[in-house]
Amino acid sequence: MTKQMLIAGNWKMNGLRDSLGELSAISAAAGETDARVEVAIAPPFTLIAAAASVVESSRVAIGGQDCHAKDSGAHTGCVSAVMLADSGASFVIVGHSERRTDNGETDAIVKAKAETALSAGLRVIVCVGETESERDEGRAEDVVGRQLRGSLPTARAEHVVVAYEPVWAIGTGRTPSVEDVDAMHNFIRAQLRAHFGETGGDVLILYGGSVKPSNASELLGIAEVGGALVGGASLKASDFIPIIAAA
Ligand code: PGA
């Protein structure tokens, strides 16, 4: 495979210091992989600094799962993009559907977070995706188009990655058909070109939602799929490494 790929793991609210052993194994495997495959892990905030030292001088990037839209201030319990960068993170995920649902994050909030993260020097992974009822009603493209227009930063496409994660595929073991992923990724590509101009053609578009060793090759083989955002299967090196290998 000749295309550039990013395989990113999202540990969500999982992982204690013990889990850093999994990261060491992932880091060793990443070193054996084709240079066109980038590997990234977003552990919980509590592990970012330690994770960054585990992967030091390896090819694995460490990132945050969210950040605040402001750099600092009276926001108890929140973490800013500059803090992530200061802890050794090089990227951050924004707009994950679990944040949109659990924390009421709107497209405008997601966009503000993305802009702040870019200013802090982080790469951003902007997540979009429709719910099952939106897909059943034939509104998947409308929803994803609206999320993209509202959530993407205005510029700096070279530091932006988009993750298409149908909400109904996250953590369920279900995935859309190859045809549906292909159609949605082509739609997202057209939106990225409309938004960023020519540089929108180079933005990686990850697929996320129940990616596992058994379906990774098929999903990653779709033309406009530039990698995967992996939840459950990123927690164990024995699941995540075959997904890296599939890329
Ligand atoms: P999953 O999660 O791989 O466990 O479905 C994906 C995600 O939420 O990023």
Side-chain angles (χ1 to χ4, degrees), residues 50-61:
S53 35
V54 168
V55 303
E56 203 171 18
S57 75
S58 90
R59 289 186 29 223
V60 180

Side-chain angles (χ1 to χ4, degrees), residues 18-115:
D18 272 0
S19 322
L20 294 171
E22 299 295 328
L23 189 57
S24 306
I26 291 167
S27 177
E32 312 279 292
T33 308
D34 190 298
R36 284 166 299 193
V37 181
E38 295 177 86
V39 180
I41 293 283
F45 292 140
T46 48
L47 291 179
I48 286 180
S53 35
V54 168
V55 303
E56 203 171 18
S57 75
S58 90
R59 289 186 29 223
V60 180
I62 297 298
Q65 299 170 15
D66 177 50
C67 65
H68 197 274
K70 298 235 166 69
D71 283 340
S72 62
H75 301 286
T76 302
C78 297
V79 171
S80 72
V82 279
M83 290 170 177
L84 292 176
D86 186 54
S87 302
S90 60
F91 75 94
V92 64
I93 299 168
V94 294
H96 191 282
S97 66
E98 286 153 16
R99 301 245 10 131
R100 290 177 185 263
T101 306
D102 295 356
N103 301 77
E105 290 188 11
T106 61
D107 292 330
I109 292 172
V110 175
K111 177 177 178 170
K113 291 179 177 208
E115 298 283 11

Side-chain angles (χ1 to χ4, degrees), residues 10 80 94 98 104 166 193 211-212:
N10 170 13
S80 72
V94 294
E98 286 153 16
R193 284 211 169 91
V211 176
K212 45 191 181 226

Side-chain angles (χ1 to χ4, degrees), residues 132 136 166 168-176 207-212 215:
E132 184 157 35
D136 291 346
W168 52 273
I170 295 176
T172 59
R174 295 164 57 205
T175 53
Y207 167 78
S210 297
V211 176
K212 45 191 181 226
N215 62 18

Side-chain angles (χ1 to χ4, degrees), residues 8 183 214:
S214 59

Side-chain angles (χ1 to χ4, degrees), residues 12 95-98 101 127-135 140 143-144 147 163-177 180-182 184-185 188 205-211 219 229:
K12 308 192 180 186
H96 191 282
S97 66
E98 286 153 16
T101 306
C127 301
V128 295
E130 81 286 355
T131 63
E132 184 157 35
S133 59
E134 288 163 344
R135 173 155 291 269
V143 169
V144 169
Q147 289 175 333
Y164 168 57
E165 300 204 300
V167 177
W168 52 273
I170 295 176
T172 59
R174 295 164 57 205
T175 53
S177 67
D180 285 346
V181 174
D182 186 49
M184 184 59 87
H185 279 237
I188 292 172
I205 310 170
L206 312 184
Y207 167 78
S210 297
V211 176
L219 290 163
L229 183 54

